[in-house]
C-alpha cells in the first residue's frame, strides 16, 4: 500500500534526529525494549516525513493512511511545518468504529465526509516537535482542529510508542482514536 499516497522518499528531505529525542534517550527513559526502535530504524525514520513514516510502518497504520487521504491531509503532514502527531493504530480505528476488521474500518473511513474526518484527524495533531517528556509534562495542548487535548484524555487513550522522529515532527502511537 506504499503507493496509496504517492509519496516517495528523497534524500533532500533528510534531517537529523531531533536533539530533544536524543536528550530523552540520554536520560535513560524507562520503556519496554520491544517498543524502542533500533538505532538504525530511528535514524532512517528521522529522515522520513510523518506521512512517509505512516506509509512504511509495516501495516500498523493502514486505516490512518486511508483517513489522511480521504481528509485531504497528505500535503499538510508531508510538508516542512513541524508537528506532533498522535497516530492511532489500525486496531484503535477498528475498535472506535466498531468495525469487524481493518478492511471494514477503512470502508467506514471512506464513507465519512472529508470535513468530519479532517476535524477528527486534526484533533490528533499539534504544532511543534513535542517529545514524550514534553507531552506528558504539560496539562494539555491546542490541537490543529481548534480543540484542546488534555493530558488525561491522551493518557486514557493509551500511548503505545513514543518519540518516533520524523523530518517534520514527532509521532507518538496511541491505542485509541481521539474524538473532539
Amino acid at each position: 500500500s506504499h503507493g496509496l499516497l504517492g509519496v516517495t522518499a528523497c534524500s533532500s528531505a533528510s534531517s537529523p534526529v531531533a536533539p530533544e529525542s536524543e536528550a530523552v534517550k540520554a536520560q535513560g527513559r524507562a520503556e519496554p525494549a520491544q517498543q524502542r526502535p533500533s538505532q538504525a530504524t530511528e535514524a532512517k525514520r528521522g529522515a522520513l516525513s510523518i506521512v512517509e513514516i505512516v506509509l512504511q510502518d509495516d501495516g500498523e497504520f493502514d486505516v490512518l493512511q486511508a483517513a489522511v487521504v480521504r481528509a485531504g491531509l497528505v500535503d499538510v503532514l508531508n510538508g516542512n511545518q513541524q508537528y506532533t502527531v498522535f497516530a492511532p493504530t489500525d486496531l484503535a480505528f477498528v475498535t472506535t468504529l466498531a468495525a469487524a476488521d481493518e478492511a471494514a474500518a477503512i470502508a467506514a473511513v471512506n464513507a465519512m465526509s472529508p470535513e468530519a474526518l479532517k476535524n477528527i484527524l486534526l484533533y490528533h495533531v499539534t504544532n511543534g516537535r513535542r517529545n514524550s517528556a514534553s507531552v506528558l509534562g504539560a496539562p494539555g495542548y491546542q490541537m490543529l482542529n481548534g480543540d484542546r487535548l488534555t493530558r488525561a484524555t491522551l493518557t486514557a487513550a493509551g500511548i503505545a510508542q513514543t518519540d518516533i522522529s520524523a523530518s517534520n515532527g514527532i509521532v507518538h502511537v496511541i491505542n485509541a482514536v481521539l474524538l473532539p
Side-chain angles (χ1 to χ4, degrees), residues 63 90-109:
V63 183
D90 288 337
L91 182 58
F93 277 100
V94 168
T95 302
T96 300
L97 297 168
D101 56 23
E102 186 180 309
I106 290 172
V109 160

Side-chain angles (χ1 to χ4, degrees), residues 37 40-48 53 56-57 161 164-167:
T41 300
E42 188 68 25
K44 180 180 176 186
R45 284 182 171 177
L48 300 175
I53 286 172
Q56 63 100 39
D57 212 292
Q161 185 175 351
I164 301 171
S165 184
S167 62

Side-chain angles (χ1 to χ4, degrees), residues 2 5-11 13-14 44-58 61 65 74 77-78 166-168:
H2 284 31
L5 299 181
V7 178
T8 57
C10 57
S11 60
S14 296
K44 180 180 176 186
R45 284 182 171 177
L48 300 175
S49 73
I50 292 167
V51 168
E52 291 166 334
I53 286 172
V54 168
L55 282 174
Q56 63 100 39
D57 212 292
D58 302 328
F61 301 118
Q65 287 176 29
V74 173
L77 297 177
N78 207 30
S167 62
N168 63 334

Side-chain angles (χ1 to χ4, degrees), residues 12-174:
S12 64
S14 296
S15 70
V17 174
E20 59 193 18
S21 285
E22 294 301 316
V24 170
K25 287 179 191 172
Q27 292 172 2
R29 157 189 73 168
E31 180 180 336
Q34 72 271 18
Q35 290 184 356
R36 189 176 302 133
S38 70
Q39 286 181 332
T41 300
E42 188 68 25
K44 180 180 176 186
R45 284 182 171 177
L48 300 175
S49 73
I50 292 167
V51 168
E52 291 166 334
I53 286 172
V54 168
L55 282 174
Q56 63 100 39
D57 212 292
D58 302 328
E60 186 177 12
F61 301 118
D62 293 339
V63 183
L64 181 58
Q65 287 176 29
V68 167
V69 170
R70 176 84 175 141
L73 293 174
V74 173
D75 290 340
V76 171
L77 297 177
N78 207 30
N80 293 326
Q81 179 72 32
Q82 296 291 307
Y83 294 115
T84 298
V85 174
F86 301 102
T89 63
D90 288 337
L91 182 58
F93 277 100
V94 168
T95 302
T96 300
L97 297 168
D101 56 23
E102 186 180 309
I106 290 172
V109 160
N110 286 330
M112 294 178 74
S113 78
E115 298 77 28
L117 198 51
K118 185 175 184 178
N119 184 48
I120 291 168
L121 292 178
L122 290 180
Y123 188 54
H124 292 77
V125 183
T126 188
N127 279 309
R129 293 182 74 90
R130 301 179 192 277
N131 65 21
S132 55
S134 171
V135 166
L136 296 174
Y141 291 101
Q142 188 71 29
M143 306 309 284
L144 292 189
N145 75 336
D147 289 353
R148 185 154 179 84
L149 175 65
T150 66
R151 179 178 53 216
T153 299
L154 181 60
T155 56
I159 302 169
Q161 185 175 351
T162 60
D163 300 325
I164 301 171
S165 184
S167 62
N168 63 334
I170 295 180
V171 177
H172 303 291
V173 181
I174 58 175

